């Protein structure tokens, strides 16, 4: 069981675009060990904004989440 990523309305543009860790906001462009953090949920009017967001290695490395090590 892993924590749900923050909702879309709490993400920065960089986090929404997958350029920054959804947990700590660290840039991921040259980060190693970036993993998918899951789907951030959100909507704007009728538009569904759900999007996959990413976590840096520091935030991804937890005992609970050691079974998903998806290299990006
Ligand atoms: Zn992070």
């Amino acid at each position: 069981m892993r924590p749900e990523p923050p909702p879309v309305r709490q993400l920065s543009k960089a986090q929404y675009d997958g350029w920054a860790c959804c947990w700590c906001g660290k840039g991921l462009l040259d980060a190693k060990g970036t993993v998918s953090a899951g789907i951030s949920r959100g909507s704007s009017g009728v538009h569904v904004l759900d999007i996959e967001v990413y976590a840096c290695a520091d935030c991804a490395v937890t005992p609970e989440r050691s079974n998903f090590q998806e290299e990006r």
Side-chain angles (χ1 to χ4, degrees):
M1 183 173 154
R2 58 189 157 101
E4 288 279 309
V8 165
R9 68 176 181 277
Q10 290 179 14
L11 299 177
S12 69
K13 176 90 166 63
Q15 287 169 321
Y16 185 83
D17 288 343
W19 299 345
C21 173
C22 72
W23 299 116
C24 70
K26 190 162 82 178
L28 296 176
L29 285 182
D30 55 16
K32 290 185 169 51
T34 300
V35 298
S36 171
I39 305 296
S40 176
R41 305 290 177 185
S43 61
S44 176
V46 298
H47 301 286
V48 175
L49 301 177
D50 292 1
I51 192 167
E52 186 174 21
V53 290
Y54 298 91
C56 70
D58 291 341
C59 295
V61 176
T62 65
E64 294 77 26
R65 284 183 274 169
S66 61
N67 63 345
F68 89 106
Q69 291 290 327
E70 191 178 342
E71 284 287 335
R72 292 280 165 173

